[in-house]
Amino acid sequence: MVARTLPVIDRDNEAYWTWGREGKLAIYRCAACEYFVHPPVPFCPRCESRDVAPQAVSGRGRVVTFTVNHKAWVPDLAAPYVLALVAIAEQDDVRIPCNIVECDPETVDFNMDVEVVFEPVEDLWVPLFRPVTA
Amino acid sequence: MTRFAEKNTAITGVGMSDVSRGADKSALALTVDAALEAIADAGLTRADIDGIATWPGERADGSGFSPVGCAALQDALRLEVGWYGGGGEAPGQYGAVFNAIGAIAAGLCRNVLIFRTMYEATARKTAYANSLLREGQRQAGPFSWYAPYYTYAAALQQALFFNLYVHKSGIRPDQVGQIAVNQRRNAALNPKAIYKAPITIDDYLASPLIATPLRLYDCDVPIDGAAAIIVSRMDVARTLKNPPIRIGAIGSSMRYRNSWTQLAELDTQAQPKVAEMMWSRTDLKPADVDIAQLYDGFSFHTINWLENFGFCELHGAKYFIDGGHRIALDGDLPVNTGGGAMSGGRLHAYGAVHEACTQLWGRAGARQVQGDPQVCATSTSGGPLAGAMLLVRD
């Protein structure tokens, strides 16, 4: 499979792309009102607190929407694969782009329960999701 | 309603270069062709142009997405302008027009040359397999959230939204396909269109899946080409050679999370609020619209705009486009009458404005909509980006 294209790491996205080393999915959360802020910025749009920092979430979520890609956009790209938006279990408006892995692409469906897994790539741990089996 | 600045502006001329799947001249040369044609069409000369604008501005990255900016065209034409503006942080491609309206209202200029150039056909034959990712280079900005997941093209992001729309609306593939079939039928009557051979619903259903539910025939066509329009102050417009095409109302909005992942309603995208704003700035209603040039980066966008402009109910497009009769040239609401970007080539909503004006001026030849159309709804973009214009012949 082709190498994943990685993000430039900055102060605000670092936890998201590195806490997978400890098996944790990091999402920014407001300490004052408990609202999850994503994409990460240390300001709460709900209560205006600046006390917003990364926190580990359960890693569970649901598939909001998905697509099965069939086109080989670049040489050696292994298709089909699933691109999805997953809403975290803790707060439905936090949506994470990801690939759904460890299953037949044709079995992915709307609202499917999924859980995070991480794939180490260079210095990062890329969050991916797989179906919850039990 | 007269308090809105766009009502003091009109489109007075349009131009388009040759459009091809590989040009024999440079992107700047194509841009000059489109610009000179638009200036002449308005009955102006280069000396009359005192403003220049484009979207998204020059991106000298080899992708062909926006190879020509204001500075290059201004120098090529040796224009002396009081105002210029380009940039991607705007409500879609029409952001350049909306900025020009503001500049005219501010007294900075009277005749603004607005253009959009694409050189993607050539770029894809050489350096670029797609316009979003570069191999081996880390991504910053909004697309960095998608980049690690093999998201090589806007088609994948739109397929995410389109799939949700199909799931919620129950639209069938043979209904979606009417957009592609209708536009190909119209393109056959447009000498500048790229693809003119007719297609049937069966051809649509047999076309390759790109990313479910998006098929090849749902996608616009990368081309080399340029389109230009002249937007003039209304008192100036009324002294020029064409009947002015008034910008009756504009819609531009950021009253939602402007994000490719966190939009509240992924299946309607930014469009409801843009349409709501446009209709709030005019006394005209959807029933007054004679023709529609609706953004068709993907057929899903056109379907979305039909619903969000209020031409049919939310999730009701499947009935509106079923069979293809109502959107045909002789239907209730002719849609994308020149073939749109899917058959005509990806001039990124400026092709749509060019076609709108061509129809409103009665110059569309074999594809001219009968009944003297006077009001055209036009739109740009998908995802969190969107803009709309209601164009009305004076």
Side-chain angles (χ1 to χ4, degrees):
Chain A
M1 190 70 169
V2 206
R4 293 184 189 275
T5 302
L6 298 176
V8 172
I9 298 304
D10 60 29
R11 276 171 189 255
D12 288 331
N13 72 12
E14 184 180 9
Y16 183 85
W17 295 110
T18 60
W19 280 25
R21 181 178 42 220
E22 315 289 339
K24 292 175 179 168
L25 181 63
I27 303 293
Y28 270 39
R29 190 177 205 188
C30 174
C33 78
E34 304 192 322
Y35 184 71
F36 285 97
V37 178
H38 191 77
V41 55
F43 169 75
C44 177
R46 197 161 78 170
C47 76
E48 300 193 351
S49 168
R50 302 288 181 134
D51 190 4
V52 177
Q55 176 179 314
V57 293
S58 67
R60 302 285 283 257
R62 73 172 182 101
V63 173
V64 173
T65 189
F66 68 98
T67 182
V68 183
N69 176 72
H70 292 273
K71 183 176 162 66
W73 298 92
V74 293
D76 303 322
L77 184 67
Y81 58 88
V82 178
L83 176 70
L85 286 176
V86 165
I88 65 169
E90 288 79 2
Q91 187 175 301
D92 204 60
D93 70 358
V94 172
R95 303 214 193 95
I96 297 175
C98 60
N99 298 129
I100 306 293
V101 296
E102 298 182 30
C103 66
D104 177 350
E106 298 304 324
T107 62
V108 172
D109 208 351
F110 295 95
N111 296 315
M112 176 185 255
D113 290 323
V114 290
E115 63 189 4
V116 73
V117 289
F118 295 94
E119 182 177 302
V121 187
E122 297 181 21
D123 54 334
L124 305 181
W125 278 260
V126 174
L128 306 170
F129 286 82
R130 68 182 174 201
V132 174
T133 45
Chain B
M1 294 286 172
T2 52
R3 69 186 184 279
F4 298 118
E6 68 265 32
K7 296 186 191 306
N8 193 34
T9 64
I11 300 175
T12 51
V14 299
M16 189 184 287
S17 71
D18 286 339
V19 176
S20 71
R21 295 281 279 156
D24 58 4
K25 49 173 98 170
S26 70
L28 182 55
L30 294 171
T31 314
V32 167
D33 288 347
L36 291 178
E37 186 174 293
I39 293 167
D41 185 35
L44 297 169
T45 68
R46 286 183 290 145
D48 299 310
I49 300 299
D50 54 6
I52 185 168
T54 191
W55 183 97
E58 184 178 298
R59 286 192 187 169
D61 59 4
S63 71
F65 186 75
S66 189
V68 179
C70 288
L73 185 59
Q74 180 262 354
D75 192 55
L77 299 181
R78 298 292 199 275
L79 301 176
E80 292 182 27
V81 301
W83 172 84
Y84 69 103
E89 290 212 318
Q93 294 84 328
Y94 293 167
V97 181
F98 304 163
N99 288 343
I101 291 165
I104 290 170
L108 295 168
C109 43
R110 302 186 307 162
N111 295 303
V112 183
L113 169 62
I114 303 172
F115 68 98
R116 175 90 181 95
T117 304
M118 306 199 86
Y119 211 59
E120 291 183 310
T122 290
R124 286 178 193 208
K125 286 175 187 166
T126 54
Y128 269 67
N130 60 76
S131 54
L132 289 184
L133 298 183
R134 289 185 100 163
E135 199 177 344
Q137 198 172 79
R138 290 203 174 192
Q139 290 282 304
F143 291 110
S144 68
W145 297 98
Y146 273 115
Y149 303 110
Y150 309 115
T151 310
Y152 287 98
L156 277 113
Q157 291 162 323
Q158 289 300 326
L160 284 175
F161 304 164
F162 184 23
N163 206 20
L164 184 61
Y165 172 84
V166 169
H167 175 67
K168 288 167 82 166
S169 71
I171 195 168
R172 298 190 312 263
D174 66 284
Q175 294 169 321
V176 173
Q178 292 294 347
I179 298 292
V181 171
N182 172 62
Q183 293 186 196
R184 185 62 65 87
R185 198 162 45 223
N186 297 343
L189 304 172
N190 179 2
K192 286 211 167 179
I194 296 283
Y195 295 128
K196 300 191 183 75
I199 54 170
T200 65
I201 286 294
D202 287 341
D203 295 329
Y204 169 83
L205 295 172
S207 76
L209 268 174
I210 302 296
T212 52
L214 194 67
R215 294 179 177 281
L216 179 65
Y217 284 166
D218 288 310
C219 303
D220 64 2
V221 188
I223 48 94
D224 295 343
I229 63 174
I230 309 295
V231 171
S232 303
R233 205 174 67 199
M234 186 56 80
D235 59 327
V236 177
R238 291 200 167 120
T239 68
L240 301 181
K241 88 179 191 202
N242 293 316
I245 292 174
R246 287 187 279 119
I247 300 179
I250 61 174
S252 86
S253 180
M254 232 186 185
R255 288 173 291 147
Y256 41 78
R257 294 188 71 183
N258 194 269
S259 161
W260 289 92
T261 53
Q262 318 296 331
L263 269 172
E265 300 293 339
L266 294 163
D267 61 322
T268 55
Q269 309 177 81
Q271 298 172 6
K273 291 188 186 241
V274 170
E276 179 190 313
M277 176 175 165
M278 187 185 85
W279 291 121
S280 76
R281 295 164 77 87
T282 176
D283 293 325
L284 293 169
K285 306 288 180 219
D288 299 317
V289 174
D290 300 313
I291 52 175
Q293 312 297 340
L294 305 176
Y295 188 71
D296 63 335
F298 303 102
S299 54
F300 167 50
H301 294 140
T302 306
I303 289 167
N304 242 199
W305 281 112
L306 280 170
E307 295 180 356
N308 288 297
F309 267 146
F311 297 126
C312 55
E313 297 285 307
L314 185 64
H315 297 159
K318 60 184 176 182
Y319 306 118
F320 194 83
I321 63 179
D322 197 21
H325 309 298
R326 296 176 80 173
I327 57 173
L329 285 181
D330 59 353
D332 303 339
L333 182 73
V335 170
N336 295 347
T337 52
M342 287 162 49
S343 283
R346 187 186 193 206
L347 280 164
H348 231 188
Y350 283 90
V353 176
H354 187 283
E355 176 67 13
C357 296
T358 302
Q359 289 282 349
L360 294 176
W361 279 323
R363 298 180 190 164
R367 67 183 189 283
Q368 178 64 45
V369 169
Q370 297 305 298
D372 192 25
Q374 300 193 35
V375 180
C376 181
T378 69
S379 59
T380 72
S381 293
L385 275 179
M389 288 197 284
L390 200 59
L391 302 179
V392 184
R393 201 184 65 215
D394 203 33

